[in-house]
Amino acid sequence: MKKLLLTGFVPFLHYPINPTEDIATSLDGVTIGDYEIIGRVLPVDYMQSAKQLIEHYDAVRPDVVISLGMAAGRHQITPERIAINCRSGEPDNRGVRFEDEPIEPDGPAGYFATLPIRRILIALKERGYPAEISNTAGTYLCNNVMYSMLHKIALDAADVRAGFIHLPASHELAVKDPKLPSWPQQDLRQAVVTAIMALDGEPS
């Protein structure tokens, strides 16, 4: 049985709910296709999120790493194509804020995801889930953990596929902010299952 490390985030900024937290928690210990899912939740903390992700990676030694994040305002599932060596924007949950700072001062400008994002996209659309490939993971915590994980894998020359998938907000958040595009939580969860089933070309 292969292992898949799946991570979500706690709530952040003014959002009281993060749907990725529930997905990572609810799928922990579940078998999907050939993968045993190890679900973990990361803090929205520049100093700790990537550190904890890499600690989980070292402990689990997974075959695949998929990190999830909420992109409030997006209405589609968006597998990310690339992470860039930059952190900038809103403060994290501890109030730490960066402006145009490198994640790794000696690291490359960017890393492409090594997940089969086109196959994931096709599988999602076949199941009726709106989806598109995103060419920007932003410069906040999502990009930070995506870049850091791919950098670690590159340094280790490890045969591990990794990447990031952004999800829309859940309906629970839209109740508080009616203008926010949202999906049912169960659809967000099933879309992630679909993405995992697509990793090795299996039908979802």
Side-chain angles (χ1 to χ4, degrees):
M1 180 70 64
K2 293 182 283 189
K3 294 180 181 180
L4 187 150
L5 176 59
L6 180 72
T7 68
F9 280 107
V10 299
F12 63 104
L13 297 177
H14 60 281
Y15 303 109
I17 298 166
N18 191 328
T20 68
E21 180 177 25
D22 175 76
I23 293 169
T25 300
S26 67
L27 292 180
D28 181 38
V30 173
T31 298
I32 300 174
D34 293 332
Y35 293 93
E36 174 193 356
I37 309 303
I38 297 92
R40 298 291 183 264
V41 178
L42 303 176
V44 177
D45 181 324
Y46 277 113
M47 299 298 105
Q48 291 296 320
S49 57
K51 177 177 179 288
Q52 289 188 19
L53 174 58
I54 290 170
E55 287 174 352
H56 294 318
Y57 169 83
D58 285 336
V60 172
R61 306 310 299 177
D63 300 279
V64 177
V65 180
I66 298 179
S67 293
L68 306 174
M70 181 182 71
R74 292 189 189 181
H75 61 281
Q76 301 182 94
I77 303 287
T78 48
E80 297 295 341
R81 190 189 302 274
I82 190 169
I84 61 172
N85 191 8
C86 178
R87 48 189 179 183
S88 187
E90 297 292 337
D92 67 13
N93 283 356
R94 292 194 306 119
V96 175
R97 185 172 192 163
F98 289 98
E99 185 172 293
D100 305 328
E101 292 289 331
I103 298 168
E104 292 288 343
D106 298 321
Y111 285 106
F112 285 107
T114 51
L115 299 177
I117 58 173
R118 181 64 59 183
R119 191 159 67 228
I120 289 171
L121 179 73
I122 292 169
L124 288 167
K125 288 186 172 182
E126 285 178 347
R127 285 294 301 269
Y129 297 120
E132 66 178 356
I133 292 172
S134 168
N135 292 313
T136 174
T139 54
Y140 194 49
L141 270 293
C142 297
N143 177 76
N144 188 75
V145 300
M146 181 182 177
Y147 183 95
S148 298
M149 187 73 263
L150 290 166
H151 184 65
K152 164 71 171 174
I153 291 168
L155 291 178
D156 289 352
D159 184 19
V160 177
R161 293 181 290 173
F164 199 98
I165 300 175
H166 266 120
L167 307 181
S170 59
H171 284 342
E172 288 83 355
L173 282 167
V175 168
K176 303 175 187 303
D177 182 357
K179 295 181 180 180
L180 198 63
S182 64
W183 286 32
Q185 181 70 28
Q186 63 267 30
D187 284 354
L188 293 173
R189 184 182 187 276
Q190 190 56 44
V192 172
V193 172
T194 297
I196 293 170
M197 289 294 292
L199 288 173
D200 299 321
E202 298 183 34
S204 55

